[in-house]
Amino acid sequence: MCIRDRVYEVSWTIEANHGGGYSYRLAPADGPLTEEVFGKAPLKFVGPQKLRWRGGRAMGGDEIEFNGTYVSAGTVPAGSMWARNPIPRNDFSQTGQGFEPVCVEFGMPASMCSGMEDGSGGAEPTLEIVDRVLVPEGLVPGEYVLGWRWDCEESNQIWQSCSDLTITSSK
């Protein structure tokens, strides 16, 4: 359950990194779940971005917080906010050098937050990309679908995922 005009943490993991950017958006659960409908309620990113390994500090894992790259100019739909995938692929044989992995700034090895997988060296994702999004105040309370869309930079692919969400107006 989410309350309007509040900020919530959302996260995702990488199994195969293709670079690019992503957004979160909402659509009423009782209507068509089309790009047009999701485009009417894009969510804004708020505050710093995080990378969290093995559940973060609360679970005995690691966590770093940094200024993510968020874009709202020239986006579709107009005025929506997108985030750059903060994990550079750095696949030198196919795509060349990407940007500097953010975990290096925190004294961690670059392999912890760059590459094709999630930095763990195995098939089980341990790294989460964590953002905070604002649920808009003007939404009618009810049942919604939270949609996540990742437009890949290094391939002709769009990945999507969704979850059910109840939005209320009271605390």
Side-chain angles (χ1 to χ4, degrees):
M1 182 178 329
C2 289
I3 300 171
R4 295 181 306 182
D5 200 31
R6 292 240 179 125
V7 175
Y8 293 90
E9 192 174 89
V10 291
S11 67
W12 60 288
T13 63
I14 293 176
E15 184 66 28
N17 191 5
H18 300 292
Y22 60 95
S23 68
Y24 289 93
R25 56 266 180 84
L26 293 170
D30 63 354
L33 300 177
T34 64
E35 282 299 313
E36 180 181 352
V37 173
F38 275 114
K40 293 177 182 177
L43 300 182
K44 295 197 181 301
F45 293 96
V46 178
Q49 196 170 40
K50 290 183 190 178
L51 296 180
R52 181 168 46 210
W53 293 264
R54 297 171 304 285
R57 291 183 196 112
M59 304 296 289
D62 296 314
E63 191 171 292
I64 59 174
E65 192 171 87
F66 56 95
N67 292 325
T69 301
Y70 299 114
V71 178
S72 57
T75 57
V76 176
S80 63
M81 195 174 223
W82 286 71
R84 178 180 74 176
N85 173 358
I87 308 298
R89 181 167 166 177
N90 291 340
D91 181 348
F92 299 104
S93 65
Q94 290 185 14
T95 60
Q97 174 69 43
F99 52 91
E100 179 77 9
V102 70
C103 60
V104 172
E105 298 173 27
F106 294 86
M108 302 171 88
S111 62
M112 288 292 294
C113 66
S114 66
M116 182 61 174
E117 294 180 358
D118 69 356
S120 70
E124 183 63 32
T126 65
L127 170 63
E128 292 174 79
I129 298 164
V130 183
D131 295 286
R132 294 174 187 94
V133 294
L134 175 65
V135 173
E137 184 176 17
L139 291 176
V140 174
E143 301 299 316
Y144 286 82
V145 173
L146 172 66
W148 169 82
R149 176 180 166 144
W150 176 20
D151 286 31
C152 299
E153 174 183 21
E154 298 177 355
S155 65
N156 188 18
Q157 297 175 330
I158 296 172
W159 294 88
Q160 298 185 77
S161 184
C162 62
S163 62
D164 296 328
L165 185 66
T166 301
I167 296 178
T168 66
S169 59
S170 62
K171 299 171 183 178

